[in-house]
Amino acid sequence: MLQAGAAVAAESFAERYPVREVMPEAGKSVGEPRGDPPAAPVYKGRRSGGGKGAGGKVVGYVFITGEVVHIPAYSGKPVVMLVGMDTRGTITGVKVLHHEEPILKIGIPESTLFDFVDQFAGVPVTAHAKVGGGGEGSTIALDGISGATVTVMAANDTVMAAARRMARSRGIIEGEVAAEREPATIKTDLFKEKSWKELLGEGAIRYLHLTAKEVNERFAEQGVTEQWSGSELAGLQGDDRFIDLYFAYLNAPTIGRNLLGESRYRRLMDRLEEGEHALLIMGTGPYSFKGSGYVRGGIFDRIRLEQGIDTVTFQDLDHQRIGSLASEGHPPFEELGIFKVREKFELDPGAPWSMVLRVGRSVTPLKREFVNFNGRYQLPEQYFIAAEPPAEPLPTWKRIWLDKTVQIGVLVTALILLTAILVFQEWLAKRPRLLFYLRRGFLLFTLFWIGWYALAQLSVVNVLTFANAVIGEFSWTTFLMDPLVFILWTFVAVSLLLWGRGVYCGWLCPFGALQDYANYIGRYLLRLPQIEVPFKVHERLWAIKYVILLVLFGLSLQSMATAEKYAEVEPFKTAITMHFFREWGFALYAELLVVASAFQHKFYCRYLCPLGAALAIPARIRLFDWLKRHSATRSAAAPAKSAPTNARSRRSTPRGTSTPTSATSAWTARPPTGTSTSARPWCSAASAASAARRRAARPGRWKKPWAGRSPGSSR
């Protein structure tokens, strides 16, 4: 075992994780994670000389999201992924390493999550990646996963937040993401005459001063010891001036007009298109910032502008020569030029940017090494109007709630209606036909909308997650990730204290509604015989669901993932979430339970449902008894019957009295005119007694399809 542990410890990062799957450009060398947050540098080719030189150039970073951010998904735990990012701030690939999402373990195939994260390849860290919808501007739309919205939104937030933090820590981007903020607006009506010295003093003109010593030291840091040869730079040494590079932003009238003069400034502004900007770059010293590359290839290869992760390169068409400046008191310049920044680069004049000077030196006749020097520029605040700062990104759960506003409204409306039914139950009990159709319609809504459309079926997994959160680290964020489930649980918690668990089990459980309709069709349309288990047997079978609940709770204390696996005793994911489209074993199990309900009302709810058992425990301590039960005296010919699910013990009902009925039962509403009394689930208590007396007087006429069976096999 010690040898095995040593072997695992000896494995490199690239051997433990699929680095090349998330960084296709990775060569033969991947470093070990380092820095804060930790990331493994990826090198182009094989490293040589400790990573120095072209062969050891860093082309990107690979990191694990769990070591950078912690964003819980539906399970309350984050989806851990391996992310690759290049040095330009573009995500190169994402690989899922670990997750504990229950719907992806025993419901939706995991491959759908793998396909989802593949969409991040090529996404810049500054972009706004959004699940679903259309992409506008810097927004990139990602295809979601039906039935796993919370999971993919959490995965999206995890990847983008981790990548941005990593990019900021490595200097790839600065501060907040620039693409999420509108550019500043230049004050075109603001002008004041200022001298060169005043403009230089307030920072409207910035400069980069380099000596020969500073340049030589930078090359030495890169391992280049060769000296200049064959040019005027060869004799430079020590504090000799290498270059003085000045640069300024010209769109601001106070800067542009004072440096160029009125007429030249107006002509320049007239030539600029909307969204374009003009810079003045001036240089003096033996090193030319223009060089001669633009003559051969049309590109100024010695200077570029960088803002955030964006790089602006200048071509010969962007350059305008000028001979002199209108402002007095400036130093003599050997090179002057106006450079245009085109609209496509989306330069923000109010944000800081850098003028990068590239210096090259030949080390062999065929090889040159380059070093860069940055001169930072920030336009003074008085010359622009800053855009409103971007709002803090909303937490994942808040964005989910905003995306589901319509669904939340529909559910809340339905719950208000159900509350009204329960409050006015006495009035409805006097109108059994209205109650019957109202309940049947609400059960259809529960099955089709709450269940099959909104996928808001509650589960014992929710109860176990809550219990584990209370024992461990509790966070409301975990439960707010699914707004419909959270609202339902809130309503159920309140209704347990006021009316008991019958409100959820009888009205709001989609699988319960499916069983209810299966029994209704089997009993009253297909005339299937109804099986009634003797009470002593029922009382013992009734304890099975409590045993199941206890076992699942014990498993959850050890491993929530294991408990979620065995929670498949609930057919909810198969019948409701997956619409029966699952492996044949799961589908057959759920279908058998539905068929069983056609012969015995809510068979699963009676004996197997751990969620019902979990709700029954706190229902014992309800504060009020607002569920009114309306009794009616029956004759001896109509003996008392238990509630449809045998939820109440027969011992609690005195002999010779009827079993109470209430607004939560479907069996109290009258039938439409002309319907056979023997097939009426809507009979009132009085009507049932009267019908029983008539059946006793004329048994042949009122004989039921299941008459003559033993009490244990008939209802």
Side-chain angles (χ1 to χ4, degrees), residues 370-620:
F370 296 91
V371 293
N372 295 326
F373 298 91
N374 294 356
R376 187 177 175 84
Y377 187 91
Q378 172 64 67
L379 185 66
E381 294 182 357
Q382 65 266 29
Y383 296 129
F384 65 90
I385 301 174
E388 290 294 327
E392 289 293 327
L394 292 174
T396 304
W397 70 268
K398 287 187 178 181
R399 289 191 284 108
I400 294 175
W401 281 66
L402 291 175
D403 290 342
K404 293 190 175 183
T405 303
V406 176
Q407 295 182 21
I408 291 172
V410 172
L411 179 60
V412 170
T413 302
L415 295 179
I416 292 174
L417 173 61
L418 178 56
T419 303
I421 292 173
L422 296 172
V423 170
F424 297 102
Q425 57 183 287
E426 292 188 12
W427 183 84
L428 287 171
K430 299 175 183 178
R431 295 160 178 81
R433 176 180 293 184
L434 173 61
L435 176 59
F436 171 78
Y437 288 116
L438 188 61
R439 175 174 164 78
R440 286 290 147 194
F442 199 95
L443 288 180
L444 283 177
F445 169 80
T446 297
L447 176 60
F448 285 93
W449 195 90
I450 295 181
W452 286 336
Y453 172 74
L455 306 178
Q457 169 76 63
L458 302 188
S459 168
V460 71
V461 174
N462 305 132
V463 179
L464 299 178
T465 302
F466 181 82
N468 278 268
V470 172
I471 297 173
E473 297 181 1
F474 183 84
S475 173
W476 279 113
T477 302
T478 302
F479 306 98
L480 291 168
M481 295 294 279
D482 193 329
L484 301 184
V485 170
F486 180 82
I487 292 172
L488 275 174
W489 271 116
T490 303
F491 184 84
V492 170
V494 175
S495 65
L496 281 175
L497 299 177
L498 303 180
W499 294 289
R501 70 183 176 95
V503 176
Y504 175 75
C505 296
W507 292 84
L508 293 172
C509 177
F511 190 74
L514 179 61
Q515 291 182 97
D516 200 287
Y517 265 97
N519 183 262
Y520 178 81
I521 294 172
R523 180 192 296 234
Y524 299 107
L525 299 183
L526 301 180
R527 302 295 185 110
L528 298 177
Q530 298 298 294
I531 301 173
E532 184 170 341
V533 179
F535 182 73
K536 290 186 178 180
V537 178
H538 159 76
E539 194 173 31
R540 285 154 179 79
L541 294 177
W542 174 70
I544 295 176
K545 57 187 177 184
Y546 291 94
V547 175
I548 295 174
L549 174 64
L550 184 61
V551 171
L552 291 176
F553 178 71
L555 290 173
S556 70
L557 296 178
Q558 177 66 28
S559 170
M560 192 64 196
T562 303
E564 290 166 355
K565 180 179 180 180
Y566 285 97
E568 273 294 309
V569 69
E570 293 181 324
F572 304 156
K573 293 182 180 68
T574 300
I576 304 301
T577 306
M578 304 301 297
H579 307 102
F580 290 98
F581 290 104
R582 285 192 74 182
E583 294 82 355
W584 70 270
F586 292 103
L588 179 62
Y589 170 68
E591 291 164 358
L592 287 176
L593 290 177
V594 174
V595 171
S597 295
F599 294 90
Q600 187 179 54
H601 186 254
K602 291 191 174 181
F603 169 81
Y604 171 78
C605 299
R606 294 185 187 213
Y607 307 123
L608 299 177
C609 182
L611 176 61
L615 295 178
I617 295 173
R620 295 280 184 178

Side-chain angles (χ1 to χ4, degrees), residues 350-381:
W353 49 268
S354 296
M355 182 60 64
V356 181
L357 179 67
R358 185 170 182 250
V359 180
R361 179 182 290 182
S362 298
V363 294
T364 68
L366 299 177
K367 183 179 180 181
R368 288 175 63 84
E369 289 291 344
F370 296 91
V371 293
N372 295 326
F373 298 91
N374 294 356
R376 187 177 175 84
Y377 187 91
Q378 172 64 67
L379 185 66
E381 294 182 357

Side-chain angles (χ1 to χ4, degrees), residues 253-287:
T254 300
I255 304 173
R257 287 174 58 181
N258 281 303
L259 291 177
L260 301 179
E262 176 69 25
S263 60
R264 193 160 46 180
Y265 173 78
R266 291 299 176 192
R267 289 196 300 270
L268 174 63
M269 292 297 105
D270 290 341
R271 287 197 297 268
L272 292 180
E273 301 290 340
E274 183 177 356
E276 293 184 337
H277 309 268
L279 306 178
L280 177 62
I281 303 179
M282 305 151 280
T284 182
Y287 187 75

Side-chain angles (χ1 to χ4, degrees), residues 593-708:
L593 290 177
V594 174
V595 171
S597 295
F599 294 90
Q600 187 179 54
H601 186 254
K602 291 191 174 181
F603 169 81
Y604 171 78
C605 299
R606 294 185 187 213
Y607 307 123
L608 299 177
C609 182
L611 176 61
L615 295 178
I617 295 173
R620 295 280 184 178
I621 60 172
R622 68 174 182 265
L623 302 178
F624 305 97
D625 190 15
W626 287 2
L627 191 61
K628 303 299 181 182
R629 298 183 178 273
H630 309 277
S631 61
T633 303
R634 296 184 180 182
S635 66
K641 293 184 178 181
S642 63
T645 57
N646 278 341
R648 295 172 58 88
S649 172
R650 295 185 181 181
R651 296 175 184 172
S652 64
T653 305
R655 289 176 180 258
T657 61
S658 64
T659 300
T661 58
S662 69
T664 61
S665 175
W667 318 109
T668 58
R670 293 188 180 181
T673 304
T675 305
S676 172
T677 309
S678 62
R680 306 184 199 185
W682 41 73
C683 285
S684 66
S687 298
S690 176
R693 288 193 295 271
R694 290 196 299 271
R695 288 197 299 273
R698 292 175 290 180
R701 177 179 177 184
W702 298 97
K703 186 176 181 181
K704 296 182 179 181
W706 52 88

